[in-house]
């Protein structure tokens, strides 16, 4: 079946612009995560949804970052007034839920470059 | 409390050799320890995972060794192949489908 799909694959933004990154999780997956991966580093947790509820947003680096999943399926990560330090790969992952359901499945990410 | 420390940062191994990557964690509430493999331009893909109730898990050429008292775990890749050349991340979390904390990654290069 289809995996986690992210779009766009690449995004170049001028500093100060707003961007929106999309994630289509695996069908039926309840849990959805956003991670930020800087060059040469491991993924860092940003936020977590269970269905449409955002249960953990402790990793969002500033109030310029906002995520939503209004119908419990597709999710959008929005970054307002982008800064150079926002340049990274943004990874989305989904799972069928906590406990012993399924591991995290990652998409191929969106590479954001802020110039 | 939330950190996962991984070493080495990079590793070069000859074809057929054994690759060993180590990780240490701090949070004793972690109950799930996966290893992910990532190729350039791709997302991380689950390779193998272990729970702390066992000390070792083997899947093909990949083995996780787990030391609960030391809060350490390691990945062994036997008979390493050039196709294994990738970046490997250890991670830890409270359960299989939940939030993971990742290590910094190890870039493995297997020379023919």
């Amino acid at each position: 079946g289809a995996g986690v799909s992210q779009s766009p694959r690449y995004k170049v933004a001028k500093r100060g612009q707003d961007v929106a990154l999309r994630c289509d999780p695996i069908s039926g997956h309840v849990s959805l995560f956003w991670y930020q991966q800087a060059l040469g580093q491991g993924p860092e947790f940003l936020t977590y949804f269970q269905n449409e509820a955002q249960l953990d947003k402790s990793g969002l680096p500033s109030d310029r970052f906002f995520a939503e999943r209004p119908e419990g399926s597709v999710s959008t990560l929005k970054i307002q007034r982008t800064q150079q330090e926002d340049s990274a790969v943004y990874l989305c992952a989904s799972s069928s839920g906590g406990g012993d359901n399924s591991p995290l499945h990652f998409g191929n990410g969106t590479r954001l470059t802020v110039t | 409390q939330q950190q996962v420390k991984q070493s080495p940062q990079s590793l070069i191994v000859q074809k057929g050799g054994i690759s060993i990557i180590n990780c240490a964690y701090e949070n004793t509430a972690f109950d799930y320890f996966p290893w992910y493999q990532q190729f350039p331009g791709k997302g991380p893909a689950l390779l193998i995972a272990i729970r702390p109730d066992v000390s070792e898990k083997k899947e093909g050429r990949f083995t996780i060794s787990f030391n609960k008292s030391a809060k350490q775990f390691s990945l062994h890749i036997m008979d390493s192949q050039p196709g294994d050349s990738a970046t490997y991340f250890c991670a830890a979390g409270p359960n299989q489908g939940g939030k993971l904390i990742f290590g910094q990654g190890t870039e493995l290069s297997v020379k023919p």
Side-chain angles (χ1 to χ4, degrees):
Chain A
V4 177
S5 178
Q6 292 189 245
S7 61
R9 286 283 283 126
Y10 304 93
K11 178 69 180 177
V12 179
K14 292 187 187 304
R15 190 176 60 173
Q17 284 185 332
D18 298 348
V19 298
L21 313 179
R22 177 186 169 105
C23 172
D24 283 85
I26 293 172
S27 179
H29 274 193
V30 168
S31 298
L32 185 146
F33 300 79
W34 284 99
Y35 282 81
Q36 180 189 61
Q37 185 174 26
L39 189 64
Q41 300 295 316
E44 291 196 0
F45 171 81
L46 292 177
T47 187
Y48 159 57
F49 290 85
Q50 186 169 344
N51 296 306
E52 69 278 4
Q54 189 174 21
L55 299 186
D56 187 345
K57 55 181 180 179
S58 61
L60 296 177
S62 77
D63 58 6
R64 296 186 296 104
F65 287 70
F66 171 77
E68 60 184 6
R69 193 185 185 198
E71 297 179 358
S73 178
V74 171
S75 177
T76 303
L77 176 67
K78 298 179 179 178
I79 309 173
Q80 297 177 324
R81 305 181 302 282
T82 52
Q83 303 295 314
Q84 283 195 318
E85 61 263 27
D86 300 335
S87 295
V89 174
Y90 291 85
L91 295 165
C92 176
S94 70
S95 77
S96 61
D100 290 327
N101 293 317
S102 79
L104 294 193
H105 297 267
F106 282 85
N108 288 328
T110 294
R111 179 177 296 278
L112 172 65
T113 303
V114 181
T115 60
Chain B
Q1 274 287 308
Q2 289 293 323
Q3 280 190 323
V4 176
K5 295 183 179 179
Q6 182 173 347
S7 64
Q9 192 172 354
S10 63
L11 182 61
I12 299 175
V13 173
Q14 289 297 123
K15 178 182 175 181
I18 302 173
S19 304
I20 302 174
I21 305 171
N22 301 297
C23 277
Y25 65 98
E26 298 173 354
N27 191 338
T28 54
F30 288 152
D31 196 51
Y32 174 67
F33 302 88
W35 285 89
Y36 278 80
Q37 179 188 55
Q38 187 176 31
F39 292 103
K42 301 293 186 183
L46 179 67
L47 194 60
I48 186 173
I50 198 168
R51 282 248 152 77
D53 52 347
V54 296
S55 60
E56 185 175 285
K57 182 175 181 180
K58 183 176 181 179
E59 289 183 1
R61 296 185 295 110
F62 302 93
T63 299
I64 299 180
S65 297
F66 188 85
N67 185 331
K68 187 174 181 178
S69 61
K71 292 190 284 186
Q72 294 175 348
F73 58 111
S74 61
L75 175 69
H76 291 61
I77 306 174
M78 313 299 286
D79 186 27
S80 299
Q81 299 297 311
D84 297 331
S85 297
T87 301
Y88 292 81
F89 294 97
C90 62
N95 53 57
Q96 187 173 5
K99 174 182 173 180
L100 293 176
I101 307 300
F102 283 83
Q104 299 91 332
T106 296
E107 188 173 357
L108 172 65
S109 178
V110 181
K111 299 299 185 185

